[in-house]
Amino acid sequence: MMKPSTFGFLVVRGVRNLGKHWAMTIACIASLSVCMTLNTFATLAEVNVDSMVNYLGQQNEMVVYVDPEADDATIQSVGERITATPGVSRVQYMSKEDVLNQYRGYMADYAVLLDEFENDNPFKANYRVSLANLSQMQAMSQNFQSIPGVYSVTAPIEMTQTFVEVQQAVTKVGQIVILVLMAVSIITVGSTIRLSVFARRREIEIMKYVGATNHLVTLPFFVEGLTMGLISGAITSVAGIFGYAYIVQASSTLGGLWQLLMGTAMVPVDAVWPTILTYSLAGGALVGALGSMFSIRKHLNV
């Protein structure tokens, strides 16, 4: 079993090795930080697209119209069936009078024209339904249509299918980008460790001749890769948090189509910075450790 003093010595040695090849170390940390930062923003893009789709889903409600001949008990039964359906996130009942008043609000300058409908209201009572998962809208529409007392169901099915397809495409592209950049990061760390191994091959041979174990030889290289990963993770977290904060702030000044699509859907910085910090440090440590381990196993005959 390795003594604590020996372990501490090897750890310190691994950290000091960063300075012996400082140019390569800086290049490795820089390239690794760039890869991880791109990874972070790819993930943030995926998260915000998911948030956008959910936001647009809330804006694009299904409208379940109740049969005009239905009594109060039937109307209540329809509402209970809709509310009890799994996947329904919000249900709002609109009586015939509520719908009429809503149109009065839309046509405030011409509201007097709707007064003739006061005693002969042509509108239908309905339930405004929001779903937790937009991909279920078509199935939900058919399900609600079969409820006794339902007159008809209107739903923006084609629009929601477009949103879902965009969400799925961004998710797939984001996953591919993350995997590619992760592989590049591991190769980058491994290349730096390989150069360090090559530069000290004579020293390693001498250590083996005097009885050094594999752990004694490989631990400094492992610490070296781990340290580079942690430093890159710290840089990535700072770049990711402040870069995303700038994007969120700048997006608030945009109008038109951006506000129509995103509205308040963009994930705030307060909700993501702890995750960015945690995953950047953990991801950097993991990539650094894996890169050094693969490099040592492949290129060190110890």
Side-chain angles (χ1 to χ4, degrees):
M1 183 176 180
M2 188 181 300
K3 295 181 180 180
S5 58
T6 304
F7 178 81
F9 170 77
L10 294 174
V11 170
V12 173
R13 184 179 178 183
V15 175
R16 287 180 177 176
N17 285 341
L18 296 172
K20 292 185 178 181
H21 304 89
W22 59 269
M24 191 63 189
T25 298
I26 292 175
C28 177
I29 291 175
S31 59
L32 184 56
S33 298
V34 171
C35 289
M36 292 179 60
T37 300
L38 292 175
N39 238 331
T40 298
F41 281 102
T43 304
L44 288 172
E46 183 179 340
V47 170
N48 277 281
V49 168
D50 288 341
S51 178
M52 180 191 71
V53 171
N54 292 332
Y55 170 77
L56 292 175
Q58 294 174 0
Q59 309 309 309
N60 293 277
E61 302 171 315
M62 298 177 62
V63 182
V64 181
Y65 293 98
V66 181
D67 191 330
E69 304 299 327
D71 55 22
D72 292 341
T74 302
I75 294 175
Q76 183 177 357
S77 175
V78 170
E80 292 174 351
R81 288 280 299 275
I82 294 174
T83 304
T85 303
V88 172
S89 61
R90 185 172 64 87
V91 178
Q92 180 186 7
Y93 175 68
M94 298 283 290
S95 66
K96 295 168 58 174
E97 291 74 19
D98 292 335
V99 177
L100 179 61
N101 292 331
Q102 186 179 54
Y103 276 95
R104 280 180 173 146
Y106 293 153
M107 305 171 58
D109 296 335
Y110 306 96
V112 66
L113 298 177
L114 298 174
D115 289 344
E116 61 181 271
F117 296 137
E118 189 68 38
N119 297 322
D120 186 19
N121 193 329
F123 298 106
K124 299 180 182 67
N126 61 77
Y127 287 95
R128 307 292 175 90
V129 183
S130 297
L131 304 180
N133 187 349
L134 287 181
S135 63
Q136 298 179 342
M137 182 164 287
Q138 184 172 5
M140 288 287 193
S141 177
Q142 297 173 351
N143 183 27
F144 294 155
Q145 186 68 61
S146 65
I147 297 177
V150 171
Y151 181 80
S152 64
V153 178
T154 60
I157 295 176
E158 293 184 359
M159 183 182 297
T160 55
Q161 286 179 341
T162 301
F163 293 154
V164 172
E165 289 174 359
V166 170
Q167 181 185 27
Q168 293 174 346
V170 171
T171 299
K172 291 180 180 178
V173 172
Q175 291 173 348
I176 293 173
V177 170
I178 289 172
L179 290 175
V180 171
L181 293 176
M182 181 69 74
V184 171
S185 301
I186 294 174
I187 293 172
T188 301
V189 175
S191 299
T192 304
I193 299 298
R194 281 198 298 272
L195 289 177
S196 181
V197 171
F198 181 79
R200 283 176 282 175
R201 62 191 184 281
R202 299 298 182 190
E203 176 185 346
I204 293 170
E205 291 177 0
I206 294 173
M207 291 175 63
K208 289 297 294 180
Y209 286 142
V210 298
T213 64
N214 289 349
H215 295 300
L216 288 174
V217 175
T218 58
L219 182 58
F221 297 106
F222 177 81
V223 172
E224 185 177 348
L226 183 65
T227 304
M228 285 191 293
L230 287 173
I231 294 174
S232 300
I235 296 173
T236 298
S237 62
V238 173
I241 293 171
F242 284 96
Y244 184 67
Y246 175 78
I247 292 174
V248 172
Q249 183 178 6
S251 68
S252 63
T253 63
L254 301 177
L257 182 61
W258 176 263
Q259 291 298 326
L260 176 64
L261 291 176
M262 293 302 292
T264 58
M266 198 163 188
V267 180
V269 179
D270 293 341
V272 297
W273 78 259
T275 303
I276 293 176
L277 178 61
T278 301
Y279 279 88
S280 295
L281 293 176
L286 178 62
V287 169
L290 290 176
S292 61
M293 288 174 62
F294 291 156
S295 178
I296 293 170
R297 286 185 177 183
K298 184 176 180 180
H299 295 276
L300 279 181
N301 185 19
V302 294

